[in-house]
Amino acid sequence: MAPTGLYHHLSSYFKNTEEDALPPLSVAFVGALSVAYTILYVLPFYLSPTTRPSPTLSRDAPTVIRARIRFVSVSVALSTIATIYILANRANASTLEILRLLGWYPISIVQVSRSLLLTALLFTGPLFEKAVVEGRWKDWMQGRTLHESLSSWIGWRNYVAGPVTEEILFRSLLVPLHLLTPLSPTRIVLVTPLYFGIAHVHHFYEFVLTHPHTPWTPSIIRSLFQFTYTTIFGWYATFIFVRTGNVIAAILAHTFCNWAGLPRLWGRVEPMVAIGGPTVRGKEDSRSELGKERAGHWSWSLAYYLLLVTGAVGFQQCLWTLTESPTALAKVA
């Protein structure tokens, strides 16, 4: 089937230069497909005893992590095949147009670096705390942190498998499908991350399984909080993906945020003093440092919060300029 100029169609539709430029996909169809993709991604976690957590089996167990990575890889592969088929047959997209819509080509190292710099600006305070206050800059220079992070299955899940599979599914696959519906790019940036946030709600059931004696109220609050911050990150990652047309930029932003954890918004900032051996942290333990105690001066806190605010202002000022790209998938108002 001959290509019909998918990018011209998208440009015409969003700029209203052609009255008869009708979107090739319906919102209902793409919404149902998005729900199916999300279920296909999460459901296998609970269908097999090798991936289903219990009071005696943590999600951080290496056997569970390895099995889950295998399952989500297959799920994402199947979803990718389905999406490529739909783009080729329902939207008459050529091979090059499909690769561009998925954010797989072209890949600009400059654009990836600009997006990573933008993300780092938001974490100026936490980077200062890790590098200077906690003295980790030497480990970073020697590559020790990278080696330690990827030498465990927890690190491999948090920094490689998780970001890659989630960004391919929730950005590279879902966003192009929604761009071919009547939804505007701005609404797509706001709506599609809800699937990403909902996909993390299963952690409530997971937490109840592994912590059967914890009351439901704190468990629900914990899950609502997780849904909130994953959705907020989803907005940001989708914004980057639509503005750059580059899935690698979204993946590295995801990896960076997983590594940095949630920024400290209150409390004293003090150096860490090791009192025991190294510890391995799960993804959700970003603020805990077992085997260490804190000791320091108020000036660390002052510097941290000044840098946190400065970084947030810089992030806001550079949000549009650092994500501007000639390969953008659509114009976000």
Side-chain angles (χ1 to χ4, degrees):
M1 188 174 295
T4 58
L6 183 60
Y7 271 81
H8 173 69
H9 170 84
L10 284 174
S11 176
S12 300
Y13 176 66
F14 290 125
K15 294 179 182 179
N16 295 319
T17 58
E18 289 185 9
E19 294 182 359
D20 59 345
L22 298 177
L25 302 177
S26 70
V27 174
F29 172 76
V30 172
L33 192 63
S34 300
V35 171
Y37 284 1
T38 303
I39 293 174
L40 182 62
Y41 188 89
V42 174
L43 189 60
F45 291 172
Y46 301 97
L47 294 181
S48 169
T50 60
T51 58
R52 185 171 56 247
S54 69
T56 58
L57 185 62
S58 169
R59 67 186 293 268
D60 292 331
T63 55
V64 174
I65 295 175
R66 288 196 299 268
R68 287 189 169 192
I69 289 176
R70 287 194 296 268
F71 275 116
V72 298
S73 297
V74 172
S75 297
V76 171
L78 293 174
S79 298
T80 300
I81 293 171
T83 300
I84 291 175
Y85 177 83
I86 291 169
L87 293 178
N89 290 274
R90 294 286 295 271
N92 297 334
S94 67
T95 300
L96 182 59
E97 287 171 337
I98 291 173
L99 292 176
R100 294 187 65 182
L101 273 173
L102 297 179
W104 296 359
Y105 176 85
I107 297 297
S108 169
I109 301 301
V110 173
Q111 188 56 62
V112 171
S113 301
R114 283 157 57 94
S115 298
L116 197 56
L117 173 61
L118 177 65
T119 307
L121 277 175
L122 191 60
F123 289 85
T124 304
L127 287 173
F128 168 77
E129 181 179 9
K130 290 176 181 288
V132 180
V133 181
E134 297 178 4
R136 298 187 191 180
W137 68 271
K138 293 181 180 179
D139 292 336
W140 297 355
M141 296 296 293
Q142 297 171 1
R144 189 180 307 163
T145 299
L146 178 63
H147 178 267
E148 291 178 353
S149 297
L150 299 181
S151 62
S152 70
W153 280 104
I154 291 176
W156 189 258
R157 176 196 63 195
N158 294 347
Y159 309 132
V160 180
V164 169
T165 58
E166 289 179 354
E167 292 309 311
I168 289 178
L169 177 64
F170 294 104
R171 251 60 71 180
S172 180
L173 303 185
L174 295 194
V175 170
L177 291 173
H178 282 79
L179 283 173
L180 299 175
T181 70
L183 292 176
S184 69
T186 302
R187 291 191 65 183
I188 290 170
V189 170
L190 296 175
V191 170
T192 56
L194 295 177
Y195 299 108
F196 180 66
I198 292 171
H200 287 77
V201 173
H202 79 95
H203 288 304
F204 167 74
Y205 177 64
E206 191 174 64
F207 186 78
V208 170
L209 284 179
T210 56
H211 300 76
H213 302 296
T214 302
W216 275 51
T217 299
S219 300
I220 293 174
I221 293 175
R222 177 181 180 276
S223 295
L224 289 175
F225 177 71
Q226 189 172 35
F227 169 78
T228 300
Y229 76 72
T230 52
T231 301
I232 291 173
F233 169 77
W235 289 334
Y236 175 59
T238 306
F239 179 84
I240 287 179
F241 180 70
V242 173
R243 290 271 297 169
T244 65
N246 191 326
V247 71
I248 301 298
I251 290 173
L252 290 183
H254 193 151
T255 296
F256 185 93
C257 290
N258 279 0
W259 170 75
L262 293 176
R264 175 196 300 277
L265 299 179
W266 61 83
R268 294 179 60 183
V269 177
E270 300 167 319
M272 290 287 191
V273 179
I275 59 175
T279 59
V280 177
R281 299 185 301 176
K283 178 179 177 180
E284 292 148 3
D285 299 326
S286 59
R287 289 263 60 91
S288 66
E289 290 283 352
L290 300 177
K292 296 184 178 181
E293 62 180 8
R294 289 184 176 274
H297 193 266
W298 61 267
S299 58
W300 292 125
S301 299
L302 177 61
Y304 170 86
Y305 288 110
L306 284 175
L307 288 171
L308 184 68
V309 173
T310 301
V313 172
F315 174 85
Q316 189 271 332
Q317 294 292 326
C318 298
L319 180 62
W320 294 92
T321 55
L322 288 181
T323 56
E324 187 175 1
S325 171
T327 58
L329 297 181
K331 183 178 180 180
V332 181

